[in-house]
Short mmCIF file of all heavy atoms in Angstrom, two decimals:
data_model
loop_
_atom_site.label_atom_id
_atom_site.label_comp_id
_atom_site.label_asym_id
_atom_site.label_seq_id
_atom_site.Cartn_x
_atom_site.Cartn_y
_atom_site.Cartn_z
N GLY A 29 -2.75 -6.24 -5.11
CA GLY A 29 -3.88 -7.14 -4.73
C GLY A 29 -4.12 -7.51 -3.27
O GLY A 29 -4.97 -8.25 -2.91
N LYS A 30 -3.39 -6.80 -2.45
CA LYS A 30 -3.50 -7.12 -1.03
C LYS A 30 -4.03 -5.83 -0.18
O LYS A 30 -3.94 -4.82 -0.71
CB LYS A 30 -2.20 -7.57 -0.38
CG LYS A 30 -1.59 -8.82 -1.06
CD LYS A 30 -2.40 -10.06 -0.85
CE LYS A 30 -1.79 -11.31 -1.48
NZ LYS A 30 -2.64 -12.51 -1.26
N GLU A 31 -4.44 -6.08 0.99
CA GLU A 31 -4.81 -5.04 1.78
C GLU A 31 -3.56 -4.42 2.51
O GLU A 31 -2.63 -5.02 2.72
CB GLU A 31 -5.81 -5.49 2.91
CG GLU A 31 -7.11 -5.99 2.38
CD GLU A 31 -7.99 -4.87 1.62
OE1 GLU A 31 -8.01 -3.84 2.21
OE2 GLU A 31 -8.50 -5.25 0.61
N ARG A 32 -3.73 -3.11 2.80
CA ARG A 32 -2.63 -2.44 3.58
C ARG A 32 -2.51 -3.15 5.05
O ARG A 32 -3.51 -3.36 5.67
CB ARG A 32 -2.92 -1.03 3.73
CG ARG A 32 -1.75 -0.20 4.33
CD ARG A 32 -1.98 1.29 4.18
NE ARG A 32 -2.14 1.79 2.83
CZ ARG A 32 -2.28 3.09 2.47
NH1 ARG A 32 -2.15 4.06 3.41
NH2 ARG A 32 -2.37 3.40 1.26
N GLU A 33 -1.27 -3.37 5.37
CA GLU A 33 -1.05 -4.01 6.65
C GLU A 33 0.07 -3.28 7.51
O GLU A 33 0.95 -2.62 6.91
CB GLU A 33 -0.55 -5.45 6.38
CG GLU A 33 0.74 -5.60 5.67
CD GLU A 33 1.23 -7.07 5.53
OE1 GLU A 33 0.73 -7.89 6.27
OE2 GLU A 33 2.24 -7.27 4.78
N LEU A 34 -0.02 -3.46 8.80
CA LEU A 34 0.99 -2.89 9.67
C LEU A 34 2.17 -3.66 9.48
O LEU A 34 2.28 -4.71 9.42
CB LEU A 34 0.45 -2.97 11.04
CG LEU A 34 1.33 -2.42 12.15
CD1 LEU A 34 0.49 -1.85 13.35
CD2 LEU A 34 2.32 -3.47 12.73
N VAL A 35 3.39 -2.90 9.51
CA VAL A 35 4.75 -3.40 9.39
C VAL A 35 5.40 -3.25 10.71
O VAL A 35 5.76 -4.29 11.43
CB VAL A 35 5.55 -2.84 8.37
CG1 VAL A 35 7.02 -3.43 8.32
CG2 VAL A 35 4.94 -3.02 6.99
N ALA A 36 5.52 -2.08 11.25
CA ALA A 36 6.17 -1.78 12.49
C ALA A 36 5.74 -0.32 12.94
O ALA A 36 5.84 0.63 12.09
CB ALA A 36 7.69 -1.87 12.39
N VAL A 37 5.44 -0.20 14.22
CA VAL A 37 5.01 1.13 14.69
C VAL A 37 5.47 1.38 16.06
O VAL A 37 5.60 0.45 16.91
CB VAL A 37 3.41 1.32 14.55
CG1 VAL A 37 3.01 1.33 13.17
CG2 VAL A 37 2.76 0.30 15.41
N PHE A 38 5.72 2.62 16.45
CA PHE A 38 5.77 3.06 17.79
C PHE A 38 4.34 3.47 18.18
O PHE A 38 3.76 4.37 17.56
CB PHE A 38 6.64 4.26 18.03
CG PHE A 38 8.17 3.92 17.87
CD1 PHE A 38 8.80 4.11 16.73
CD2 PHE A 38 8.85 3.48 19.00
CE1 PHE A 38 10.18 3.82 16.53
CE2 PHE A 38 10.20 3.29 18.89
CZ PHE A 38 10.87 3.35 17.62
N THR A 39 3.78 2.88 19.24
CA THR A 39 2.39 3.11 19.57
C THR A 39 2.38 4.38 20.41
O THR A 39 3.23 4.90 20.90
CB THR A 39 1.80 1.84 20.33
OG1 THR A 39 2.36 1.81 21.55
CG2 THR A 39 2.04 0.60 19.62
N SER A 40 1.09 4.79 20.66
CA SER A 40 0.80 5.84 21.44
C SER A 40 1.29 5.75 22.98
O SER A 40 1.46 6.72 23.60
CB SER A 40 -0.60 6.28 21.52
OG SER A 40 -1.00 6.60 20.13
N THR A 41 1.42 4.51 23.42
CA THR A 41 1.94 4.23 24.77
C THR A 41 3.34 3.96 24.86
O THR A 41 3.74 3.70 25.97
CB THR A 41 1.10 2.92 25.26
OG1 THR A 41 1.39 1.84 24.42
CG2 THR A 41 -0.38 3.19 25.40
N GLY A 42 3.98 4.07 23.71
CA GLY A 42 5.57 3.98 23.76
C GLY A 42 6.09 2.57 23.47
O GLY A 42 7.28 2.49 23.44
N SER A 43 5.18 1.64 23.23
CA SER A 43 5.77 0.34 22.86
C SER A 43 5.88 0.24 21.34
O SER A 43 5.47 1.12 20.55
CB SER A 43 4.70 -0.70 23.31
OG SER A 43 3.48 -0.58 22.67
N ILE A 44 6.53 -0.86 20.97
CA ILE A 44 6.77 -1.08 19.53
C ILE A 44 6.05 -2.39 19.10
O ILE A 44 6.17 -3.40 19.79
CB ILE A 44 8.35 -1.27 19.24
CG1 ILE A 44 9.05 -0.01 19.60
CG2 ILE A 44 8.52 -1.65 17.70
CD1 ILE A 44 10.58 -0.12 19.31
N ASN A 45 5.35 -2.32 17.95
CA ASN A 45 4.61 -3.45 17.49
C ASN A 45 5.21 -3.81 16.06
O ASN A 45 5.33 -3.03 15.27
CB ASN A 45 3.09 -3.21 17.34
CG ASN A 45 2.40 -3.07 18.66
OD1 ASN A 45 2.96 -3.65 19.66
ND2 ASN A 45 1.19 -2.60 18.70
N TYR A 46 5.60 -5.03 15.90
CA TYR A 46 5.97 -5.64 14.62
C TYR A 46 5.01 -6.60 14.03
O TYR A 46 4.36 -7.44 14.84
CB TYR A 46 7.32 -6.22 14.64
CG TYR A 46 8.52 -5.46 14.96
CD1 TYR A 46 8.98 -5.26 16.21
CD2 TYR A 46 9.14 -4.76 13.93
CE1 TYR A 46 10.15 -4.43 16.51
CE2 TYR A 46 10.26 -3.92 14.12
CZ TYR A 46 10.77 -3.76 15.53
OH TYR A 46 11.82 -2.98 15.67
N ALA A 47 4.80 -6.70 12.74
CA ALA A 47 4.14 -7.77 12.09
C ALA A 47 4.97 -9.05 12.33
O ALA A 47 6.17 -9.00 12.28
CB ALA A 47 3.97 -7.53 10.64
N ASP A 48 4.33 -10.17 12.53
CA ASP A 48 4.98 -11.45 12.75
C ASP A 48 6.00 -11.79 11.58
O ASP A 48 7.14 -12.33 11.77
CB ASP A 48 4.09 -12.62 12.93
CG ASP A 48 3.39 -12.50 14.29
OD1 ASP A 48 3.76 -11.83 15.15
OD2 ASP A 48 2.36 -13.18 14.38
N SER A 49 5.58 -11.36 10.32
CA SER A 49 6.39 -11.72 9.21
C SER A 49 7.70 -10.92 9.07
O SER A 49 8.53 -11.27 8.34
CB SER A 49 5.53 -11.48 7.89
OG SER A 49 5.11 -10.08 7.80
N VAL A 50 7.84 -9.88 9.85
CA VAL A 50 9.05 -9.00 9.75
C VAL A 50 9.80 -8.90 11.07
O VAL A 50 10.89 -8.23 11.11
CB VAL A 50 8.72 -7.66 9.22
CG1 VAL A 50 7.90 -7.76 7.86
CG2 VAL A 50 8.02 -6.85 10.29
N LYS A 51 9.31 -9.48 12.10
CA LYS A 51 9.87 -9.23 13.46
C LYS A 51 11.29 -9.50 13.63
O LYS A 51 11.98 -8.82 14.38
CB LYS A 51 9.06 -9.89 14.62
CG LYS A 51 9.37 -9.62 16.00
CD LYS A 51 8.52 -10.37 16.93
CE LYS A 51 8.77 -10.04 18.35
NZ LYS A 51 8.54 -8.57 18.71
N ASP A 52 11.78 -10.59 13.00
CA ASP A 52 13.19 -11.01 13.15
C ASP A 52 14.06 -10.40 12.08
O ASP A 52 15.26 -10.65 12.22
CB ASP A 52 13.32 -12.59 13.16
CG ASP A 52 12.56 -13.29 14.22
OD1 ASP A 52 12.51 -12.67 15.34
OD2 ASP A 52 11.98 -14.30 13.97
N ARG A 53 13.53 -9.50 11.27
CA ARG A 53 14.33 -9.09 10.10
C ARG A 53 14.31 -7.51 10.08
O ARG A 53 15.29 -6.94 9.51
CB ARG A 53 13.75 -9.62 8.77
CG ARG A 53 13.90 -11.13 8.64
CD ARG A 53 13.39 -11.64 7.38
NE ARG A 53 11.95 -11.33 7.20
CZ ARG A 53 11.42 -10.55 6.20
NH1 ARG A 53 12.33 -9.93 5.21
NH2 ARG A 53 10.15 -10.35 6.04
N PHE A 54 13.30 -6.93 10.54
CA PHE A 54 13.20 -5.49 10.41
C PHE A 54 13.32 -4.73 11.76
O PHE A 54 12.89 -5.36 12.83
CB PHE A 54 11.80 -5.03 9.86
CG PHE A 54 11.51 -5.36 8.45
CD1 PHE A 54 12.42 -6.16 7.70
CD2 PHE A 54 10.39 -4.99 7.78
CE1 PHE A 54 12.13 -6.53 6.42
CE2 PHE A 54 10.14 -5.28 6.58
CZ PHE A 54 11.03 -6.04 5.73
N THR A 55 13.74 -3.56 11.80
CA THR A 55 13.91 -2.86 13.04
C THR A 55 13.54 -1.35 12.84
O THR A 55 13.90 -0.68 11.94
CB THR A 55 15.40 -2.85 13.55
OG1 THR A 55 15.86 -4.15 13.77
CG2 THR A 55 15.52 -2.00 14.94
N ILE A 56 12.56 -0.87 13.62
CA ILE A 56 12.12 0.48 13.59
C ILE A 56 12.85 1.29 14.62
O ILE A 56 13.18 0.80 15.70
CB ILE A 56 10.55 0.53 13.80
CG1 ILE A 56 10.12 1.98 13.45
CG2 ILE A 56 10.18 0.04 15.16
CD1 ILE A 56 8.54 2.11 13.50
N SER A 57 13.26 2.52 14.35
CA SER A 57 13.82 3.45 15.24
C SER A 57 13.29 4.82 14.96
O SER A 57 12.69 5.04 13.95
CB SER A 57 15.40 3.34 15.12
OG SER A 57 15.80 3.74 13.79
N ARG A 58 13.63 5.72 15.91
CA ARG A 58 13.16 7.09 15.65
C ARG A 58 14.04 8.17 16.40
O ARG A 58 14.86 7.84 17.32
CB ARG A 58 11.72 7.25 16.21
CG ARG A 58 11.62 7.07 17.66
CD ARG A 58 10.20 7.31 18.14
NE ARG A 58 9.94 6.96 19.58
CZ ARG A 58 8.80 6.92 20.13
NH1 ARG A 58 7.68 7.17 19.48
NH2 ARG A 58 8.64 6.62 21.40
N VAL A 59 14.00 9.35 15.85
CA VAL A 59 14.67 10.45 16.42
C VAL A 59 13.50 11.48 16.65
O VAL A 59 13.12 12.16 15.83
CB VAL A 59 15.72 11.10 15.55
CG1 VAL A 59 16.43 12.33 16.28
CG2 VAL A 59 16.77 10.01 15.19
N ASN A 60 12.99 11.44 17.94
CA ASN A 60 11.87 12.26 18.23
C ASN A 60 12.06 13.86 17.93
O ASN A 60 11.09 14.42 17.50
CB ASN A 60 11.52 12.08 19.69
CG ASN A 60 10.86 10.69 20.00
OD1 ASN A 60 10.50 10.09 19.05
ND2 ASN A 60 10.80 10.30 21.24
N ILE A 61 13.22 14.33 18.28
CA ILE A 61 13.32 15.77 18.13
C ILE A 61 13.41 16.19 16.66
O ILE A 61 13.10 17.31 16.24
CB ILE A 61 14.69 16.17 18.76
CG1 ILE A 61 14.75 17.67 19.03
CG2 ILE A 61 15.85 15.74 17.91
CD1 ILE A 61 15.96 18.20 19.83
N LYS A 62 13.55 15.19 15.73
CA LYS A 62 13.50 15.48 14.30
C LYS A 62 12.19 14.97 13.69
O LYS A 62 12.05 15.08 12.53
CB LYS A 62 14.65 14.89 13.59
CG LYS A 62 16.08 15.45 14.15
CD LYS A 62 17.24 14.63 13.43
CE LYS A 62 17.25 14.94 11.99
NZ LYS A 62 18.52 14.30 11.39
N ASN A 63 11.30 14.41 14.45
CA ASN A 63 10.05 13.83 13.94
C ASN A 63 10.37 12.87 12.85
O ASN A 63 9.62 12.96 11.77
CB ASN A 63 9.10 14.97 13.53
CG ASN A 63 8.63 15.76 14.66
OD1 ASN A 63 8.37 15.34 15.76
ND2 ASN A 63 8.30 17.06 14.41
N THR A 64 11.23 12.01 13.04
CA THR A 64 11.68 11.09 12.05
C THR A 64 11.59 9.65 12.50
O THR A 64 12.14 9.36 13.65
CB THR A 64 13.03 11.45 11.50
OG1 THR A 64 13.15 12.78 10.98
CG2 THR A 64 13.60 10.50 10.45
#
């Protein structure tokens, strides 16, 4: 019943954006060489 919302992303400029509701609880990470 809700719209799709951003949770956490690596942006095109290299920064990380978190939704306020998850910022203190979720962590995004990546391995670029594995596209993961």
